[in-house]
Amino acid sequence: MTTHREPLDSVLEAVGETPLVRVHAAPEEVPVYAKLETFNPGASVKDRIGKHMLERMLEEGTVSPGGTVIEPTAGNTGIGLAVAAGRLDLEAVFVVPERFSVEKQQLMRALGAEVVNTPSEDGMSRAIERAHELAEELDGAVVPQQFSNPLNAESHYATTAPEIYDALDGEVGAVVAGMGTGGTLMGIADYAAERGSDALMVGVQPEGSTYGDLLGEETEEGEYKTEGIGTHDVSTNELVDPERLDDLKTISDRAIHEEMARLASEEGHLVASSAAANSLAALEVAAAIRDGDVDAPHETVVTVFCDSSERYLSKGVYRPFEEWQG
Ligand code: PMP
């Protein structure tokens, strides 16, 4: 449960301590729990890295008050960084491939940030390049670079992971999380390793993403509408250590679309595509544990509901599949 019961001074203090809620489609014998990251002030899991990275970078002197942070982002990281930047006396500029949701771009601007678009077809690698070009042109500017910054994973090691383990008294059988940067899963994996937990660490990606390249699997690159997870070029995903992955689940946009609708209508979760992918993968892992197909140290599975479907209504997430894809 959210533990904020006292008045707080700033939205930054409301980041984290999100509720862990049961997913009822799971087998009785192996419950699945989802961390509801929509409860963060910027309404996504990325508030955690926004706060943690900027606070640490200010402490370390990587950036100074009055300076600028420039970040390539699909949107949620921009929102999380903008929420934190405004409170910590920093300016924020975000480089966003055009195809990502307009709601996110409007929210970043509302929080006081500047948004620069790059062509969708050039992918995230071009957005990363552009962010570095802009940083060179501007004094006092720094690129936190969520794709390679260990502070990204560290924020989950320091907050998400202990929250999960505390809520379940350490009885975590598997953690299932979609990988965008991979920071969420890698941070939790670091924490699990440190406390001697053998919980399985399972990554999730949409069909068309090529994370399998890291595991020596055959991959087939393709387009997908699921936002926030997956990769087209694993060389950009510097935080992902394949040694830390016990499994990688690949879910189709069609199944994800159906699960988004089911989570809303049957379970009251207004969550977006990456959460739906995580839900399906977590249900698969729970069934495999129940059936004895995989060995897990406990009969529980934890996943993450990363952000809200409201952020994607303009993309037709609750419209028929073809309209969402269109
Ligand atoms: N879901 C959504 C909606 C996201 O924005 C992100 C971050 N890109 C993720 C999942 C994946 O998180 P991570 O970058 O920590 O792997």
Side-chain angles (χ1 to χ4, degrees), residues 45-46 74 76-77 104 146 152 156 178-185 227-229 274 306-307 312:
V45 65
K46 289 299 186 174
N76 282 331
T77 298
K104 289 190 216 166
Q146 58 167 338
N152 169 354
H156 297 287
M179 296 191 298
T181 63
T184 308
L185 191 62
E227 281 193 40
I229 58 173
S274 70
C306 317
D307 72 346
Y312 309 87

mmCIF file of all heavy atoms in Angstrom, residues 45-46 74 76-77 104 146 152 156 178-185 227-229 274 306-307 312, ligand 1:
data_model
loop_
_atom_site.group_PDB
_atom_site.id
_atom_site.type_symbol
_atom_site.label_atom_id
_atom_site.label_comp_id
_atom_site.label_asym_id
_atom_site.label_seq_id
_atom_site.Cartn_x
_atom_site.Cartn_y
_atom_site.Cartn_z
ATOM 1 N N VAL A 45 6.341 4.731 -14.061
ATOM 2 C CA VAL A 45 7.503 4.165 -13.375
ATOM 3 C C VAL A 45 8.729 5.079 -13.502
ATOM 4 O O VAL A 45 9.645 5.033 -12.677
ATOM 5 C CB VAL A 45 7.793 2.757 -13.966
ATOM 6 C CG1 VAL A 45 8.213 2.841 -15.432
ATOM 7 C CG2 VAL A 45 8.813 1.978 -13.161
ATOM 8 N N LYS A 46 8.728 5.925 -14.527
ATOM 9 C CA LYS A 46 9.908 6.737 -14.815
ATOM 10 C C LYS A 46 10.099 7.910 -13.868
ATOM 11 O O LYS A 46 11.156 8.547 -13.884
ATOM 12 C CB LYS A 46 9.851 7.214 -16.269
ATOM 13 C CG LYS A 46 10.080 6.094 -17.269
ATOM 14 C CD LYS A 46 11.450 5.470 -17.075
ATOM 15 C CE LYS A 46 11.752 4.445 -18.146
ATOM 16 N NZ LYS A 46 13.119 3.938 -18.050
ATOM 17 N N ALA A 74 11.111 8.305 -24.991
ATOM 18 C CA ALA A 74 9.822 8.022 -25.609
ATOM 19 C C ALA A 74 8.728 8.807 -24.909
ATOM 20 O O ALA A 74 7.596 8.841 -25.352
ATOM 21 C CB ALA A 74 9.522 6.534 -25.512
ATOM 22 N N ASN A 76 7.838 9.018 -21.139
ATOM 23 C CA ASN A 76 7.659 8.925 -19.695
ATOM 24 C C ASN A 76 8.895 9.394 -18.928
ATOM 25 O O ASN A 76 8.777 10.024 -17.881
ATOM 26 C CB ASN A 76 7.317 7.495 -19.289
ATOM 27 C CG ASN A 76 5.859 7.172 -19.564
ATOM 28 O OD1 ASN A 76 5.013 8.052 -19.544
ATOM 29 N ND2 ASN A 76 5.570 5.907 -19.831
ATOM 30 N N THR A 77 10.070 9.088 -19.443
ATOM 31 C CA THR A 77 11.283 9.551 -18.773
ATOM 32 C C THR A 77 11.327 11.071 -18.783
ATOM 33 O O THR A 77 11.746 11.704 -17.814
ATOM 34 C CB THR A 77 12.539 8.963 -19.434
ATOM 35 O OG1 THR A 77 12.465 7.551 -19.301
ATOM 36 C CG2 THR A 77 13.809 9.458 -18.770
ATOM 37 N N LYS A 104 1.979 12.589 -24.042
ATOM 38 C CA LYS A 104 3.217 12.674 -23.268
ATOM 39 C C LYS A 104 3.965 13.961 -23.602
ATOM 40 O O LYS A 104 4.515 14.620 -22.729
ATOM 41 C CB LYS A 104 4.103 11.468 -23.559
ATOM 42 C CG LYS A 104 3.577 10.170 -22.965
ATOM 43 C CD LYS A 104 4.639 9.092 -23.094
ATOM 44 C CE LYS A 104 4.052 7.742 -23.377
ATOM 45 N NZ LYS A 104 5.040 6.769 -23.818
ATOM 46 N N GLN A 146 19.494 7.703 -20.015
ATOM 47 C CA GLN A 146 18.892 6.580 -19.298
ATOM 48 C C GLN A 146 19.310 5.222 -19.852
ATOM 49 O O GLN A 146 19.294 4.233 -19.136
ATOM 50 C CB GLN A 146 17.372 6.706 -19.326
ATOM 51 C CG GLN A 146 16.793 6.747 -20.720
ATOM 52 C CD GLN A 146 15.269 6.556 -20.755
ATOM 53 O OE1 GLN A 146 14.705 6.022 -19.833
ATOM 54 N NE2 GLN A 146 14.636 6.987 -21.833
ATOM 55 N N ASN A 152 20.073 4.846 -13.494
ATOM 56 C CA ASN A 152 18.732 4.389 -13.886
ATOM 57 C C ASN A 152 18.410 3.084 -13.145
ATOM 58 O O ASN A 152 17.458 3.012 -12.360
ATOM 59 C CB ASN A 152 18.712 4.228 -15.418
ATOM 60 C CG ASN A 152 17.475 3.511 -15.953
ATOM 61 O OD1 ASN A 152 16.646 3.012 -15.199
ATOM 62 N ND2 ASN A 152 17.347 3.444 -17.270
ATOM 63 N N HIS A 156 15.935 1.722 -9.228
ATOM 64 C CA HIS A 156 15.050 0.565 -8.969
ATOM 65 C C HIS A 156 15.647 -0.358 -7.902
ATOM 66 O O HIS A 156 14.931 -0.965 -7.114
ATOM 67 C CB HIS A 156 14.776 -0.194 -10.266
ATOM 68 C CG HIS A 156 14.043 0.665 -11.259
ATOM 69 N ND1 HIS A 156 12.724 0.985 -11.110
ATOM 70 C CD2 HIS A 156 14.471 1.311 -12.364
ATOM 71 C CE1 HIS A 156 12.347 1.785 -12.109
ATOM 72 N NE2 HIS A 156 13.399 1.995 -12.879
ATOM 73 N N GLY A 178 8.864 -5.679 -18.547
ATOM 74 C CA GLY A 178 9.194 -5.249 -19.906
ATOM 75 C C GLY A 178 10.464 -4.429 -19.889
ATOM 76 O O GLY A 178 10.706 -3.674 -18.954
ATOM 77 N N MET A 179 11.273 -4.613 -20.937
ATOM 78 C CA MET A 179 12.535 -3.894 -20.989
ATOM 79 C C MET A 179 12.506 -2.831 -22.081
ATOM 80 O O MET A 179 12.379 -3.132 -23.266
ATOM 81 C CB MET A 179 13.681 -4.867 -21.253
ATOM 82 C CG MET A 179 13.871 -5.870 -20.126
ATOM 83 S SD MET A 179 15.396 -6.802 -20.300
ATOM 84 C CE MET A 179 15.115 -7.627 -21.856
ATOM 85 N N GLY A 180 12.594 -1.566 -21.616
ATOM 86 C CA GLY A 180 12.831 -0.467 -22.534
ATOM 87 C C GLY A 180 14.327 -0.247 -22.468
ATOM 88 O O GLY A 180 15.102 -0.794 -23.256
ATOM 89 N N THR A 181 14.748 0.495 -21.452
ATOM 90 C CA THR A 181 16.189 0.566 -21.172
ATOM 91 C C THR A 181 16.642 -0.704 -20.468
ATOM 92 O O THR A 181 17.825 -1.018 -20.468
ATOM 93 C CB THR A 181 16.509 1.742 -20.223
ATOM 94 O OG1 THR A 181 15.853 1.505 -18.967
ATOM 95 C CG2 THR A 181 16.032 3.053 -20.814
ATOM 96 N N GLY A 182 15.707 -1.375 -19.809
ATOM 97 C CA GLY A 182 16.052 -2.531 -18.985
ATOM 98 C C GLY A 182 16.381 -2.137 -17.547
ATOM 99 O O GLY A 182 16.656 -2.992 -16.703
ATOM 100 N N GLY A 183 16.319 -0.835 -17.259
ATOM 101 C CA GLY A 183 16.690 -0.345 -15.924
ATOM 102 C C GLY A 183 15.855 -0.952 -14.813
ATOM 103 O O GLY A 183 16.390 -1.317 -13.754
ATOM 104 N N THR A 184 14.554 -1.075 -15.044
ATOM 105 C CA THR A 184 13.683 -1.614 -13.991
ATOM 106 C C THR A 184 14.125 -3.029 -13.622
ATOM 107 O O THR A 184 14.388 -3.335 -12.451
ATOM 108 C CB THR A 184 12.202 -1.653 -14.465
ATOM 109 O OG1 THR A 184 11.835 -0.367 -14.954
ATOM 110 C CG2 THR A 184 11.272 -2.069 -13.342
ATOM 111 N N LEU A 185 14.212 -3.896 -14.626
ATOM 112 C CA LEU A 185 14.521 -5.307 -14.352
ATOM 113 C C LEU A 185 15.945 -5.481 -13.829
ATOM 114 O O LEU A 185 16.187 -6.254 -12.891
ATOM 115 C CB LEU A 185 14.291 -6.160 -15.610
ATOM 116 C CG LEU A 185 14.327 -7.656 -15.362
ATOM 117 C CD1 LEU A 185 13.212 -8.090 -14.403
ATOM 118 C CD2 LEU A 185 14.198 -8.438 -16.668
ATOM 119 N N GLU A 227 4.208 0.711 -26.550
ATOM 120 C CA GLU A 227 5.152 1.805 -26.266
ATOM 121 C C GLU A 227 5.932 1.606 -24.982
ATOM 122 O O GLU A 227 5.384 1.172 -23.973
ATOM 123 C CB GLU A 227 4.416 3.152 -26.181
ATOM 124 C CG GLU A 227 4.092 3.726 -27.537
ATOM 125 C CD GLU A 227 3.641 5.187 -27.503
ATOM 126 O OE1 GLU A 227 4.203 5.985 -26.752
ATOM 127 O OE2 GLU A 227 2.730 5.512 -28.282
ATOM 128 N N GLY A 228 7.208 1.937 -25.051
ATOM 129 C CA GLY A 228 8.021 1.986 -23.825
ATOM 130 C C GLY A 228 8.912 0.778 -23.636
ATOM 131 O O GLY A 228 9.851 0.825 -22.852
ATOM 132 N N ILE A 229 8.615 -0.318 -24.335
ATOM 133 C CA ILE A 229 9.464 -1.511 -24.192
ATOM 134 C C ILE A 229 9.904 -2.012 -25.569
ATOM 135 O O ILE A 229 9.307 -1.670 -26.586
ATOM 136 C CB ILE A 229 8.769 -2.647 -23.402
ATOM 137 C CG1 ILE A 229 7.439 -3.072 -24.056
ATOM 138 C CG2 ILE A 229 8.544 -2.228 -21.968
ATOM 139 C CD1 ILE A 229 6.805 -4.302 -23.414
ATOM 140 N N SER A 274 2.495 -1.557 -22.272
ATOM 141 C CA SER A 274 3.618 -2.297 -21.667
ATOM 142 C C SER A 274 3.140 -3.048 -20.421
ATOM 143 O O SER A 274 3.603 -4.155 -20.141
ATOM 144 C CB SER A 274 4.794 -1.369 -21.339
ATOM 145 O OG SER A 274 4.488 -0.511 -20.261
ATOM 146 N N CYS A 306 3.359 -0.142 -15.730
ATOM 147 C CA CYS A 306 4.270 1.001 -15.857
ATOM 148 C C CYS A 306 3.593 2.350 -16.013
ATOM 149 O O CYS A 306 4.063 3.351 -15.493
ATOM 150 C CB CYS A 306 5.199 0.786 -17.042
ATOM 151 S SG CYS A 306 5.833 -0.882 -17.129
ATOM 152 N N ASP A 307 2.512 2.402 -16.791
ATOM 153 C CA ASP A 307 1.836 3.700 -16.954
ATOM 154 C C ASP A 307 0.381 3.517 -17.361
ATOM 155 O O ASP A 307 -0.099 2.390 -17.520
ATOM 156 C CB ASP A 307 2.610 4.640 -17.891
ATOM 157 C CG ASP A 307 2.563 4.254 -19.355
ATOM 158 O OD1 ASP A 307 2.164 3.119 -19.673
ATOM 159 O OD2 ASP A 307 2.914 5.104 -20.199
ATOM 160 N N TYR A 312 -2.697 7.328 -23.730
ATOM 161 C CA TYR A 312 -2.676 6.852 -25.126
ATOM 162 C C TYR A 312 -4.071 6.811 -25.747
ATOM 163 O O TYR A 312 -4.271 6.138 -26.753
ATOM 164 C CB TYR A 312 -2.064 5.446 -25.201
ATOM 165 C CG TYR A 312 -0.732 5.319 -24.504
ATOM 166 C CD1 TYR A 312 -0.656 5.027 -23.148
ATOM 167 C CD2 TYR A 312 0.461 5.511 -25.205
ATOM 168 C CE1 TYR A 312 0.560 4.914 -22.493
ATOM 169 C CE2 TYR A 312 1.684 5.382 -24.556
ATOM 170 C CZ TYR A 312 1.729 5.087 -23.204
ATOM 171 O OH TYR A 312 2.927 4.975 -22.571
HETATM 172 N N1 PMP B 1 6.743 0.847 -19.939
HETATM 173 C C1 PMP B 1 6.702 2.149 -20.274
HETATM 174 C C2 PMP B 1 5.384 2.745 -20.624
HETATM 175 C C3 PMP B 1 7.879 2.898 -20.323
HETATM 176 O O1 PMP B 1 7.845 4.194 -20.658
HETATM 177 C C4 PMP B 1 9.101 2.264 -20.018
HETATM 178 C C5 PMP B 1 10.380 3.034 -20.106
HETATM 179 N N2 PMP B 1 10.842 3.202 -21.432
HETATM 180 C C6 PMP B 1 9.105 0.908 -19.679
HETATM 181 C C7 PMP B 1 7.898 0.244 -19.646
HETATM 182 C C8 PMP B 1 10.376 0.109 -19.461
HETATM 183 O O2 PMP B 1 11.150 0.480 -18.387
HETATM 184 P P1 PMP B 1 12.740 0.337 -18.413
HETATM 185 O O3 PMP B 1 13.257 1.446 -19.282
HETATM 186 O O4 PMP B 1 13.130 0.494 -16.991
HETATM 187 O O5 PMP B 1 13.102 -0.971 -18.978
#
